[in-house]
Amino acid sequence: MTKYEPTIGLEVHAELKTKTKMFCGCLNDPDETTPNVNVCSICLAYPGSLPTINKEAVKAIIKVGYAIGGEILNHSKFDRKSYFYPDLPKGYQISQYDLPLVRGGELRGVAVERIHLEEDTARSSHAGEGSLVDFNRAGLPLMELVTKPVIKSAEEALRFAKELQLTLRYLGVSDADMEKGQMRVEANVSIRPKKLFSGKKLGIKVELKNINSFKAVKDAIENETERQKKLLEAGERIRQETRGWNENRKESFPQRFKEEAEDYRYMPEPDLPPMDFDKEGAINTQEIKESLPELPEQKRIRFAKEYGLEEGSDELERLVDDRGEAEFFEEFVSELKITGGGKEMVKLGVNYLDSDLVGIMKEEKATWDSLKITPENFAELITIVGGNKVSSRSAKDILREMFATGDDPGNIVERMDLTQIVDEGTIENIIKEMIGKNAAAVADFRKGKETAIRFLIGQSMAKLRGRGNPALVEKLLREHLSK
Ligand SMILES: [Zn+2]
């Protein structure tokens, strides 16, 4: 059987988080639910209205360009892309054609072709009779990033899309929420027989649209690769076309066929001056480059190096994925260091942070901004647990109490009487009682059934209300059982 190799290129659109729209002063408010509130003669394209360039949006694209190591074009311009669509009142879209703001660059090993700036279209909905158009979205600044056709699998495409979302969030240029349509992915998928691989010739390209979640990125590409394989294996031809992805049915459907490249009749936008960053008073690109924040990949590398977290580990990925969690992490670790906590304590802290605290926060739908627990108090909790002053079971109760009240863990330990029992005499009394009460388990253990001791430890710990030091309980139990 012939093996096929997929080649994937992505086109990602992201709505920029600017105060106003791309070419007018209307508000860019994604939370506005009343239709057609944020509109004016410019974004509704009344005759004679003149657009102006939103510098904030241009700066955002330059940031993204530097973040992926691309080349910022000092001479760039806007063009009109003509096509007819009801959600485009002008009959054309202002975009960038031959001189995009950014060329080249790379993210998570995927080479980027270009990034340009354009305006979003209106949102149309088809409810009841006819269709409704909301122009609040018309003219919002939209970034379009196009990768080179170099992606070899659905997983790789997914990893790229996630990293791009994270990068946009780190840069603060877009919330890039796919479910809200703030980030939209299109995939160009083609396959070619592996053994016939010759030079750069790619197979027939199919464009996938309506990909509205990360899961859909993976599902749609996998499904399309399979569909094309089946066609080729059956001796059929692949048609160059655009297909929409139906997430519920887990299948794509034909939207339109493209036998030839579409003619958008691009022309330079006559109402906007070309952008020239060399000119005096223009946007200072160098300043933007120097003000970039730490990026996700840089953070991964630094966290691995500084805190001994394992490269590629899930906990490291999760920390970097959530800026709030990463900040909290760094703050409590610096507190730990003041009290002399080493790498082991950091590891213990990451466990409590990443599974326990994040777990409680998810359950309670809490955010890092509203969290009552301070990094200082969290570091103190880790010091208490690490120093065996409370059992790990009590630590979870203390954490919950800290979450609810914001209280100091030392106070909670005293108030709830949770200090770990390390007094041998107290523990021995309980153990003797449990050995007397559970003759069957004792006999099992003495016959060599090792698991029977787990039961006895459990019984003793319950009697100690979870406050016994588990290692000490086990040690004393073994001593008494071997008598
Ligand atoms: Zn407007």
Side-chain angles (χ1 to χ4, degrees):
M1 211 179 87
T2 323
K3 289 252 189 264
Y4 293 99
E5 175 184 65
T7 303
I8 303 148
L10 297 180
E11 285 175 27
V12 185
H13 283 94
E15 269 173 16
L16 300 176
K17 218 166 66 171
T18 51
K19 281 184 209 74
T20 55
K21 288 191 181 181
M22 188 59 231
F23 300 112
C24 62
C26 289
L27 277 186
N28 173 4
D29 180 6
D31 300 323
E32 180 56 69
T33 50
T34 315
N36 299 312
V37 175
N38 294 320
V39 291
C40 71
S41 60
I42 296 170
C43 52
L44 289 177
Y46 287 179
S49 59
L50 276 181
T52 47
I53 298 170
N54 182 340
K55 278 194 177 181
E56 211 191 329
V58 177
K59 285 179 183 170
I61 300 294
I62 296 171
K63 277 187 195 171
V64 182
Y66 279 128
I68 65 163
E71 181 206 349
I72 312 299
L73 267 66
N74 276 336
H75 302 272
S76 171
K77 68 176 168 65
F78 286 100
D79 300 279
R80 285 186 179 180
K81 180 184 182 182
S82 305
Y83 66 93
F84 180 76
Y85 208 66
D87 55 12
L88 202 65
K90 293 198 279 274
Y92 61 85
Q93 178 187 31
I94 304 179
S95 181
Q96 293 191 283
Y97 181 50
D98 54 338
L99 293 174
L101 277 163
V102 181
R103 276 210 185 108
E106 182 248 284
L107 192 68
R108 280 238 146 157
V110 173
V112 170
E113 177 71 40
R114 58 185 276 156
I115 309 174
H116 69 253
L117 188 52
E118 57 188 34
E119 56 179 339
D120 208 348
T121 56
R123 192 190 292 271
S124 41
S125 54
H126 307 274
E129 282 172 49
S131 68
L132 303 164
V133 184
D134 174 10
F135 287 97
N136 285 344
R137 201 181 73 175
L140 290 189
L142 195 64
M143 174 194 99
E144 180 175 337
L145 178 150
V146 182
T147 75
K148 293 194 185 240
V150 291
I151 301 169
K152 292 289 170 219
S153 68
E155 288 78 32
E156 203 187 330
L158 178 64
R159 217 171 53 221
F160 174 86
K162 283 189 170 171
E163 188 74 358
L164 180 61
Q165 182 193 57
L166 194 58
T167 303
L168 296 176
R169 289 178 175 176
Y170 266 56
L171 293 171
V173 299
S174 173
D175 288 336
D177 192 327
M178 285 194 78
E179 274 72 20
K180 289 184 185 162
Q182 293 164 339
M183 179 165 135
R184 297 162 234 159
V185 176
E186 287 163 33
N188 292 313
V189 181
S190 66
I191 65 168
R192 57 185 170 189
K194 254 188 184 165
K195 64 175 182 183
L196 294 179
F197 173 67
S198 57
K200 285 186 169 177
K201 199 173 180 312
L202 299 173
I204 303 288
K205 185 172 85 173
V206 172
E207 198 178 327
L208 293 170
K209 286 182 184 276
N210 305 10
I211 299 176
N212 300 324
S213 68
F214 283 129
K215 196 176 173 309
V217 170
K218 190 161 175 280
D219 289 350
I221 293 173
E222 273 173 358
N223 178 281
E224 180 57 23
T225 310
E226 255 334 283
R227 193 188 68 87
Q228 293 187 18
K229 260 185 212 170
K230 279 187 192 141
L231 282 175
L232 290 186
E233 276 163 7
E236 284 178 57
R237 192 169 75 91
I238 292 166
R239 298 173 75 172
Q240 187 178 336
E241 63 179 315
T242 300
R243 298 179 71 86
W245 176 246
N246 185 319
E247 178 69 6
N248 294 327
R249 300 172 65 115
K250 296 273 174 283
E251 62 182 28
S252 63
F253 55 92
Q255 281 189 326
R256 65 200 153 110
F257 293 104
K258 272 197 233 180
E259 291 304 331
E260 281 160 60
E262 268 168 288
D263 181 13
Y264 289 121
R265 291 182 293 119
Y266 278 102
M267 62 172 271
E269 170 57 56
D271 292 338
L272 292 168
M275 287 178 278
D276 181 356
F277 302 142
D278 290 333
K279 227 167 63 184
E280 223 187 320
I283 288 170
N284 187 334
T285 54
Q286 196 54 34
E287 211 170 75
I288 294 175
K289 189 180 185 180
E290 282 158 12
S291 70
L292 283 193
E294 182 177 47
L295 295 162
E297 188 56 17
Q298 294 167 329
K299 206 186 261 305
R300 283 186 198 102
I301 294 168
R302 184 170 65 79
F303 274 19
K305 213 174 123 197
E306 263 180 46
Y307 306 119
L309 298 173
E310 199 189 324
E311 269 178 73
S313 66
D314 287 349
E315 55 191 17
L316 179 57
E317 289 295 315
R318 281 196 294 266
L319 269 182
V320 174
D321 279 356
D322 186 337
R323 274 178 97 184
E325 187 179 349
E327 269 168 34
F328 189 88
F329 167 77
E330 292 216 85
E331 284 172 30
F332 96 72
V333 168
S334 70
E335 290 295 323
L336 267 184
K337 280 191 177 145
I338 295 168
T339 53
K343 289 233 158 103
E344 282 307 304
M345 293 287 270
V346 173
K347 235 182 139 90
L348 184 70
V350 170
N351 271 333
Y352 274 88
L353 175 68
D354 191 43
S355 47
D356 299 293
L357 180 56
V358 170
I360 296 172
M361 288 174 70
K362 270 200 187 130
E363 222 176 277
E364 306 286 338
K365 295 191 172 62
T367 61
W368 292 101
D369 290 333
S370 66
L371 187 68
K372 287 182 191 157
I373 302 176
T374 64
E376 293 79 8
N377 282 347
F378 191 78
E380 190 187 336
L381 173 71
I382 300 309
T383 310
I384 292 173
V385 183
N388 272 327
K389 293 204 177 67
V390 298
S391 69
S392 55
R393 210 184 85 175
S394 301
K396 292 183 201 304
D397 295 338
I398 298 168
L399 188 62
R400 270 203 181 271
E401 188 65 15
M402 287 167 71
F403 177 83
T405 62
D407 203 358
D408 182 270
N411 290 341
I412 297 171
V413 169
E414 269 180 39
R415 192 170 73 229
M416 294 171 77
D417 192 20
L418 289 169
T419 322
Q420 180 152 268
I421 299 167
V422 288
D423 176 59
E424 294 205 5
T426 312
I427 294 178
E428 267 184 322
N429 284 339
I430 301 286
I431 282 172
K432 279 181 199 157
E433 190 189 332
M434 289 305 123
I435 287 176
K437 273 188 181 166
N438 297 287
V442 172
D444 281 348
F445 180 75
R446 287 187 170 141
K447 269 186 266 167
K449 195 178 165 198
E450 178 63 25
T451 49
I453 200 162
R454 294 282 131 221
F455 173 75
L456 293 167
I457 293 170
Q459 293 291 303
S460 310
M461 284 297 277
K463 189 77 188 171
L464 289 157
R465 291 194 296 120
R467 292 169 56 210
N469 177 314
L472 188 59
V473 169
E474 179 167 353
K475 179 178 153 267
L476 294 173
L477 254 174
R478 283 187 189 278
E479 280 174 20
H480 280 268
L481 288 169
S482 61
K483 273 178 193 166

